[in-house]
Amino acid sequence: MPTFFSEICIRLKCACRIIAAPLAAALLASLLAGCSTVKLAYNNAPELAYWWLDGYLDFDASQTPRVRGELDRLLAWHRQNELPQWIALLQKAQAMAPNDSTPAQACELGQAMRLRLLALAEQAEPAGAVLALTLTRAQLDHLQKKYAQVNDDYRADWIDKSREAQQDRRYEQWLNRSEDFYGSLDERQKKALRQMVADSVFNPVLFDAERKRRQTVALRTLRTLGALGAEPGVSASEAQQVLHAYIRTVAEPPPGRWRDQQEALWQESCRNVAALHNMTTPAQREQAVRRLRSYETQLRELAAAS
């Protein structure tokens, strides 16, 4: 099921970017890291998230302690409320791993993971709204420049590459994730993986256009909240309503070309995850169970530390 993690991140990263995305990414990375680094990555998620956010928003001296405190509280909430949910998902995946899978089963598990990350984003909304009310014009100009830098990097990595180079990059990403999960793939499995990449509906140009549209909406939303913050009597709950509307629109886009592309990618992921899993050997499935069990053990130890 490793390809779901990249697809889930794509769906939620923009939706949670204001405060929750970096923590979500750090937490998810810790869940998927090698066993020796899971606890280290998880426990340091607030620090990693702070520096990620600071790179986008350039916090001032008054904002820094508040943001750090909120990220610490968010991790504490996640440790108490969400780790048990992830443990249950890992147990479900362990029960599934020895058997063949269907696209519907893969989608069900992937959707459950997505909901857990969306819960984290929604938990961060109140703090994100308070933060947004304090952002200055200079900070939003800094964010706009950061977006431009990220867009340039994406163009260099994807848009300016040939289709063959794009496919090679996606293949290597998927191969690395799959072999980390199952162990080495044989030539038959690698060939199937390459064919899945070749047949993919993934469109980097469409993704780039949608991300830039989201960036524009995010900047407009934050500028609106910044203006509200300068007005007397504006409550954090009003700001949260504005932020929530933005996050929900990104997490569940309205009907249109991007929503169609997103849904096609999701269904493709379900089919590919199930197809690759069904090609694995008993030894590879045993490796997957061991990997999942290792994740569960690490999460139980983290939950016990709360």
Side-chain angles (χ1 to χ4, degrees):
M1 316 331 147
T3 56
F4 270 120
F5 298 110
S6 58
E7 179 65 22
I8 291 164
C9 284
I10 288 172
R11 284 190 167 215
L12 291 182
K13 184 164 62 175
C14 292
C16 315
R17 184 175 296 281
I18 292 173
I19 189 168
L23 187 64
L27 293 173
L28 189 58
S30 73
L31 297 179
L32 300 176
C35 295
S36 62
T37 62
V38 169
K39 289 192 285 188
L40 179 64
Y42 187 89
N43 289 328
N44 283 282
E47 184 69 12
L48 297 173
Y50 171 80
W51 287 112
W52 190 95
L53 279 167
D54 188 56
Y56 278 85
L57 294 171
D58 191 24
F59 296 127
D60 62 30
S62 66
Q63 292 167 333
T64 291
R66 294 206 303 269
V67 172
R68 286 186 178 278
E70 290 299 337
L71 289 170
D72 286 339
R73 282 188 283 275
L74 193 56
L75 180 67
W77 170 85
H78 188 275
R79 190 189 301 269
Q80 180 177 355
N81 295 279
E82 289 296 302
L83 283 186
Q85 306 259 22
W86 280 98
I87 289 169
L89 283 174
L90 288 168
Q91 290 174 332
K92 183 174 183 178
Q94 286 176 62
M96 293 169 59
N99 308 306
D100 280 356
S101 180
T102 66
Q105 288 174 315
C107 267
E108 181 183 358
L109 187 60
Q111 177 67 2
M113 296 174 188
R114 176 181 177 273
L115 291 176
R116 299 278 43 87
L117 292 179
L118 188 57
L120 174 62
E122 292 178 343
Q123 181 67 22
E125 277 182 12
V130 172
L131 171 63
L133 289 172
T134 72
L135 294 176
T136 66
R137 178 177 297 179
Q139 287 175 311
L140 295 179
D141 288 344
H142 182 86
L143 175 61
Q144 188 169 13
K145 291 177 182 177
K146 181 67 174 181
Y147 279 158
Q149 177 187 334
V150 169
N151 291 340
D152 287 344
D153 291 343
Y154 185 83
R155 171 167 289 279
D157 289 341
W158 291 102
I159 307 298
D160 292 340
K161 302 292 187 183
S162 66
R163 179 168 176 79
E164 292 75 16
Q166 292 172 4
Q167 290 182 357
D168 286 344
R169 184 181 178 92
R170 293 195 76 210
Y171 169 76
E172 290 298 329
Q173 290 175 340
W174 196 358
L175 178 64
N176 290 337
R177 287 192 294 266
S178 299
E179 292 196 326
D180 181 68
F181 193 66
Y182 291 115
S184 297
L185 300 189
D186 61 30
E187 290 306 313
R188 179 180 65 96
Q189 293 163 336
K190 290 179 181 178
K191 182 178 179 180
L193 198 59
R194 276 205 177 275
Q195 191 61 51
M196 291 174 188
V197 172
D199 294 340
S200 176
V201 299
F202 173 67
N203 184 336
V205 174
L206 185 59
F207 179 80
D208 186 53
E210 172 63 16
R211 186 183 53 192
K212 289 176 180 175
R213 186 195 69 79
R214 288 174 173 177
Q215 290 169 352
T216 299
V217 176
L219 283 165
R220 184 167 63 242
T221 300
L222 290 174
R223 292 190 192 283
T224 298
L225 291 172
L228 284 175
E231 297 180 5
V234 175
S235 68
S237 62
E238 293 176 87
Q240 187 178 342
Q241 289 175 10
V242 175
L243 183 58
H244 179 77
Y246 167 72
I247 289 177
R248 294 305 307 185
T249 299
V250 176
E252 298 293 342
R257 189 180 180 192
W258 173 248
R259 181 168 174 170
D260 292 343
Q261 165 80 172
Q262 206 174 44
E263 182 60 26
L265 280 170
W266 185 255
Q267 295 300 325
E268 177 184 286
S269 292
C270 297
R271 293 192 302 271
N272 289 345
V273 166
L276 181 62
H277 180 75
N278 293 346
M279 293 178 66
T280 55
T281 66
Q284 288 171 325
R285 295 184 187 191
E286 289 175 6
Q287 168 63 23
V289 171
R290 286 194 296 270
R291 174 66 81 181
L292 291 165
R293 189 177 297 126
S294 295
Y295 294 153
E296 181 189 351
T297 298
Q298 297 296 310
L299 294 197
R300 286 189 181 279
E301 291 175 359
L302 286 165
S306 60

